[in-house]
Amino acid sequence: MKKVGVLTGGGDCPGLNATIRAVVRKCIIDYDYEMYGILEGWRGLIEGKVKTLDLENVSGILPKGGTIIGTSRTNPFGKNNAGDPEKILDTIKKLDLDAIVSIGGEDTQGVAHKLFEMGVNIVSIPKTIDNDLMGTDYTFGFDTAVNIATEAIDRLHTTAESHNRVMVVEVMGRHAGWIATFSGIAGGADVILIPEKPVKINEVCELLKKRHKRGKRFSIVVVSEGIKIQFENKEDEDFVLKDAKTDAFGHVTLGGVGTVLAKMIERGTGFESRCTVLGHILRGGTPSAFDRILGTRFGIAAAELIHKGEFGKMVVLKGNEILTIDLKDVSGQTKTVDDYWYNIARVFFG
Ligand code: F6P
């Protein structure tokens, strides 16, 4: 009988529960393993906080957003976390866990890789609404976030048109503009601004003026929270970065760039502008069918890896196939929007 712990780390996203359910069911039904949920990400392993997962408590969670085992941005290898990796090894020993399934984004995968190198039997599953993890075509959570953003853009279109306004829609996306690019293409955005393609504000204003010259009286601008705008004055820069906090992995808490952008667009074009920040709405609620199925496939593949004793790997989607990649090839890397996608989006600018 093997004992397996499952944890979810980093920001939550739709599809986590579908994935937990799949790992637990496959491990219990096909392999007769004993399953534990490690509570609140790596913090649960540091503090020894776990709960039993069985067929009963993973029942009914498939369509639920969030994660039934909680999550956190705890970084056991952070600068204020001396001794935490050792506490993790202790917990694993005390609970007699044979393997860990870590479900998370780039930071979680980085920690998983370090623990694997310290001898922990780890298998990873990629999740993030940002879709910026190396090695996989898609992460679950992304499709749901894109659908929510697209619906918001559709709704903003009608109010923009009624009031002859420019509507700036800010979406999540710290290092990569996948959500902005996909929802912008699907929603018919007139400009998409992403971290990968820095653009000057006056170029954005020119695109909008060109569009309005053609007779259009409203525009939609989709922007990733992570864009670096070239500020024209210190006041705008201070506004975006004011009260900025950093998390355990050193990331600045983002959100707010769209508001500054709307002000700058209004000043540069003379068109009345407004901003809507979608933020955490993109992470909440029920997962799309695509994300439920992807999470389910990932969960089952991770259970199979444990059964085969193949550790230090992350399951990935390539085309329509579930494959694996070594954790060492994932950590510290970001999958950014490439020219193929940007060139599709660009055709509809202005
Ligand atoms: O998980 C990635 C992400 O969605 C980023 O796009 C965003 O910057 C971050 O999470 C915000 O997370 P939180 O506010 O929960 O720390």
Side-chain angles (χ1 to χ4, degrees):
M1 159 86 76
K2 272 206 169 86
K3 288 186 183 174
V4 176
V6 183
L7 69 84
T8 50
D12 69 340
C13 78
L16 283 170
N17 286 327
T19 310
I20 294 167
R21 169 179 173 265
V23 175
V24 171
R25 277 194 73 98
K26 178 78 180 169
C27 284
I28 292 177
I29 288 184
D30 281 5
Y31 308 133
D32 202 22
Y33 293 168
E34 207 172 289
M35 301 301 292
Y36 293 92
I38 296 156
L39 305 182
E40 296 169 14
W42 298 115
R43 191 190 298 147
L45 267 189
I46 295 168
E47 297 175 4
K49 289 198 289 190
V50 296
K51 76 171 188 187
T52 303
L53 290 177
D54 53 29
L55 296 183
E56 191 46 42
N57 57 18
V58 299
S59 166
I61 65 172
L62 175 65
K64 280 197 183 141
T67 158
I68 59 159
I69 49 177
T71 186
S72 70
R73 291 196 184 276
T74 303
N75 177 8
F77 294 95
K79 57 180 185 321
N80 301 322
N81 296 67
D84 282 354
E86 292 69 26
K87 286 185 192 158
I88 287 181
L89 298 184
D90 254 23
T91 306
I92 292 173
K93 211 170 164 192
K94 260 190 220 139
L95 295 171
D96 200 18
L97 294 175
D98 297 291
I100 305 288
V101 178
S102 65
I103 310 172
E106 54 162 329
D107 295 325
T108 307
Q109 306 305 344
V111 172
H113 178 230
K114 286 186 185 137
L115 289 173
F116 172 67
E117 290 199 314
M118 290 170 73
V120 178
N121 291 338
I122 284 205
V123 164
S124 271
I125 299 179
K127 70 85 227 187
T128 163
I129 63 163
D130 292 352
N131 199 38
D132 59 356
L133 264 180
M134 207 39 128
T136 185
D137 290 349
Y138 292 100
T139 49
F140 64 82
F142 174 64
D143 181 68
T144 308
V146 169
N147 281 310
I148 297 168
T150 303
E151 195 201 326
I153 295 168
D154 288 348
R155 289 175 185 277
L156 290 166
H157 256 105
T158 61
T159 169
E161 195 164 5
S162 307
H163 286 268
N164 301 329
R165 282 174 176 156
V166 175
M167 300 301 287
V168 174
V169 190
E170 182 185 310
V171 296
M172 280 192 169
R174 176 179 292 281
H175 306 296
W178 288 107
I179 299 175
T181 304
F182 272 48
S183 64
I185 293 171
D190 305 301
V191 178
I192 300 171
L193 299 171
I194 57 174
E196 295 85 336
K197 300 281 175 192
V199 177
K200 291 202 181 94
I201 294 296
N202 66 337
E203 292 167 8
V204 176
C205 292
E206 282 320 306
L207 280 169
L208 297 175
K209 284 197 225 161
K210 195 177 102 191
R211 174 176 152 81
H212 287 226
K213 236 190 207 144
R214 279 194 291 117
K216 297 288 181 188
R217 305 194 57 196
F218 71 95
S219 294
I220 301 286
V221 177
V222 181
V223 55
S224 295
E225 60 177 1
I227 62 153
K228 309 257 177 308
I229 46 178
Q230 292 166 18
F231 295 105
E232 284 162 32
N233 59 52
K234 180 94 176 60
E235 196 190 310
D236 289 336
E237 184 170 354
D238 287 350
F239 180 80
V240 174
L241 297 176
K242 88 169 165 355
D243 303 329
K245 292 187 211 114
T246 49
D247 67 17
F249 289 89
H251 303 311
V252 171
T253 307
L254 298 174
V257 74
T259 311
V260 176
L261 192 66
K263 271 201 248 170
M264 292 169 101
I265 287 173
E266 189 164 297
R267 189 165 58 193
T269 61
F271 306 144
E272 191 182 14
S273 305
R274 293 282 191 274
C275 172
T276 300
V277 180
L278 295 180
H280 294 80
I281 289 172
L282 301 175
R283 292 222 310 243
T286 189
S288 66
F290 180 88
D291 283 338
R292 294 178 199 192
I293 292 167
L294 183 57
T296 299
R297 293 178 76 193
F298 277 163
I300 285 173
E304 285 169 351
L305 283 182
I306 291 177
H307 191 61
K308 287 188 272 181
E310 288 183 28
F311 300 111
K313 291 183 190 298
M314 182 177 88
V315 295
V316 296
L317 180 73
K318 278 280 166 200
N320 196 25
E321 246 188 302
I322 304 289
L323 303 172
T324 62
I325 180 173
D326 286 341
L327 276 173
K328 68 171 166 32
D329 298 326
V330 183
S331 58
Q333 305 209 50
T334 307
K335 184 187 69 182
T336 51
V337 176
D338 52 31
D339 283 346
Y340 168 76
W341 287 109
Y342 192 70
N343 285 334
I344 290 177
R346 214 173 36 81
V347 173
F348 304 93
F349 288 5

